[in-house]
């Protein structure tokens, strides 16, 4: 390979061995931490930048701006630095120190917005979005605008194709938490000729997709408090909710019992996959996405050895 960008994608997939509950079938986990910055968001970052380049919206000497809790920002900082663009990032103090540090280390100019209650809310996300929009009005600035950018979907189609190549077509269900919704929409596009159920996952405290109710939580990158513009409910067979406490405990179980070190949204996905698998029965095959590495969550106490209270 000539360039580190070329290693984005083609991540491994593994079968869970020890935390699968009685009555479940086979559960597989796609390990997106094997991307360069440790997250699936490298896929969409590259897709957004190269899509803008193809259309002539982004040219040499320009600045890129985006809002992010960490993983998208890290992916964009990585891609922009390698391609020679300045990258300005709007984030908030609710997100992990490791994520903010990673974005800075990869070259992002970071601006941090203060939250009112230390929780991820619709209002906080809107503040981040509005600040990014304000900066985007400056000359020679391109706003990737992840929530409205359909290149995000194209960036995740290969993820779905990889799963098909790795496991074959006899997959009963695939689940993923919804942030931008790009991952789920990309997978759905790859599986459009397949009978596999596409299942969206969201925090129980903010069931916007399933009940139209917004709430607050601390699962970074998902449950933004509104339905993302690129989310197409016609491509989703079911929406299920998982308690944040269970997601966190599942993340710890994955680390201690399976050797899979990932973040809270990944724990939520695997907890959902277990529920789905129990419902579908012992002959089923279910896939969950492990979105990123647990290294980004150490300062938050995610892996403190305490049982979560529901």
């Amino acid at each position: 390979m000539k360039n580190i960008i070329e290693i984005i994608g083609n991540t491994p997939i593994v079968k869970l061995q020890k935390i699968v509950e009685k009555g479940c079938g086979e559960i597989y986990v796609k390990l997106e931490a094997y991307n360069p910055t440790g997250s699936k968001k490298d896929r969409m970052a590259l897709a957004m930048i190269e899509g803008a380049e193809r259309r002539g919206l982004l040219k040499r000497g320009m600045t890129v701006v985006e809002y992010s809790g960490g993983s998208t920002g890290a992916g964009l900082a990585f891609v922009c630095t390698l391609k020679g663009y300045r990258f300005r990032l709007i984030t908030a103090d609710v997100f992990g120190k490791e994520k903010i540090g990673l974005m800075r280390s990869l070259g992002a100019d970071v601006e941090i917005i203060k939250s009112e209650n230390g929780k991820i809310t619709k209002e906080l996300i809107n503040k981040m979005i509005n600040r990014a929009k304000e900066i985007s009005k400056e000359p020679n600035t391109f706003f990737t605008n992840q929530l409205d950018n359909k290149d995000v979907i194209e960036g995740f189609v290969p993820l779905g194709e990889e799963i098909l190549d790795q496991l074959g077509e006899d997959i009963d269900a695939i689940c993923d938490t919804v942030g931008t919704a790009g991952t789920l929409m990309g997978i759905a596009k790859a599986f459009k000729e397949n009978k596999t159920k596409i299942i969206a996952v969201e925090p129980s405290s903010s069931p916007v997709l399933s009940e139209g109710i917004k709430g607050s939580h601390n699962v970074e990158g998902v449950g933004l408090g509104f339905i993302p513009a690129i989310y197409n409910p016609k491509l989703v067979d079911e929406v299920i909710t998982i308690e944040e406490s269970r997601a966190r405990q599942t993340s710890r179980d994955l680390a201690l019992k399976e050797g899979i070190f990932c973040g809270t949204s990944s724990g939520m996905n695997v907890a959902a996959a277990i529920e789905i698998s129990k419902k579908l029965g012992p002959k089923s095959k279910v896939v969950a996405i492990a979105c990123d590495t647990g290294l980004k969550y150490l300062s938050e106490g995610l892996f403190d050895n305490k049982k979560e209270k529901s």
Side-chain angles (χ1 to χ4, degrees):
M1 291 186 180
K2 297 177 182 179
N3 194 314
I4 191 171
I5 286 177
E6 295 177 29
I7 72 169
I8 293 174
N10 294 311
T11 55
I13 195 165
V14 296
K15 181 181 176 183
L16 293 183
Q17 304 293 327
K18 295 183 178 179
I19 69 169
V20 177
E21 297 179 9
K22 187 176 180 180
C24 288
E26 297 178 353
I27 299 175
Y28 292 85
V29 181
K30 184 74 163 153
L31 303 180
E32 288 295 287
Y34 283 77
N35 283 300
T37 76
S39 162
K40 68 178 185 178
K41 299 297 183 73
D42 289 355
R43 297 176 184 264
M44 63 181 271
L46 182 62
M48 289 191 293
I49 295 300
E50 292 192 339
E53 289 175 331
R54 283 194 303 272
R55 286 186 285 276
L57 300 174
L58 181 59
K59 300 175 183 179
R60 186 183 298 274
M62 290 181 67
T63 294
V64 175
V65 64
E66 184 58 273
Y67 54 92
S68 171
S71 292
T72 300
L76 281 168
F78 166 75
V79 174
C80 287
T81 295
L82 291 172
K83 285 179 170 283
Y85 302 114
R86 181 190 178 198
F87 176 53
R88 296 182 66 180
L89 187 282
I90 310 303
T91 190
D93 59 3
V94 297
F95 301 109
K97 293 178 182 178
E98 292 90 351
K99 289 186 175 182
I100 294 173
L102 177 60
M103 291 187 286
R104 281 196 171 117
S105 298
L106 290 168
D109 293 338
V110 179
E111 181 177 324
I112 300 174
I113 292 176
K114 290 185 178 180
S115 61
E116 292 184 6
N117 59 4
K119 295 279 188 178
I120 300 166
T121 63
K122 177 181 178 180
E123 290 73 26
L124 178 63
I125 298 298
N126 280 334
K127 283 183 182 178
M128 293 165 61
I129 292 171
N130 290 336
R131 178 58 180 146
K133 285 181 178 177
E134 184 181 340
I135 293 171
S136 73
K137 295 175 184 177
E138 296 179 10
N140 295 313
T141 301
F142 175 71
F143 182 21
T144 44
N145 197 10
Q146 58 177 307
L147 284 174
D148 290 294
N149 192 327
K150 292 185 179 179
D151 287 331
V152 170
I153 297 174
E154 296 306 315
F156 286 114
V157 171
L159 192 156
E161 293 170 343
E162 289 167 27
I163 294 170
L164 282 167
D165 289 340
Q166 290 164 324
L167 297 181
E169 296 186 356
D170 60 334
I171 300 167
D172 294 286
I174 296 179
C175 65
D176 190 42
T177 43
V178 172
T180 66
T183 309
L184 209 59
M185 297 298 98
I187 290 171
K189 189 170 182 178
F191 275 73
K192 63 183 178 180
E193 304 299 330
N194 197 283
K195 295 181 180 180
T196 302
K197 288 187 176 182
I198 305 298
I199 300 178
V201 186
E202 60 183 351
S204 297
S205 61
S206 188
V208 173
L209 301 178
S210 55
E211 299 178 42
I213 299 171
K214 67 175 184 177
S216 63
H217 60 87
N218 281 316
V219 185
E220 297 179 20
V222 307
L224 304 181
F226 51 86
I227 298 174
I230 64 173
Y231 178 78
N232 183 353
K234 293 179 181 179
L235 301 180
V236 176
D237 296 288
E238 186 179 353
V239 181
I240 67 173
T241 63
I242 296 291
E243 291 286 345
E244 182 176 342
S245 58
R246 184 176 178 192
R248 292 179 178 276
Q249 186 58 51
T250 303
S251 295
R252 286 191 284 278
D253 289 343
L254 283 164
L256 290 170
K257 299 176 183 180
E258 300 280 358
I260 298 173
F261 195 45
C262 54
T264 317
S265 60
S266 303
M268 185 166 282
N269 285 341
V270 173
I274 292 171
E275 289 301 306
I276 295 162
S277 185
K278 280 196 290 188
K279 188 185 297 185
L280 294 176
K283 294 184 179 180
S284 63
K285 184 186 290 186
V286 177
V287 177
I289 310 300
C291 310
D292 62 3
T293 172
L295 289 170
K296 298 178 180 181
Y297 302 87
L298 293 175
S299 67
E300 301 175 17
L302 173 59
F303 297 100
D304 293 348
N305 292 319
K306 296 176 182 178
K307 284 284 184 181
E308 289 279 355
K309 295 179 181 179
S310 299

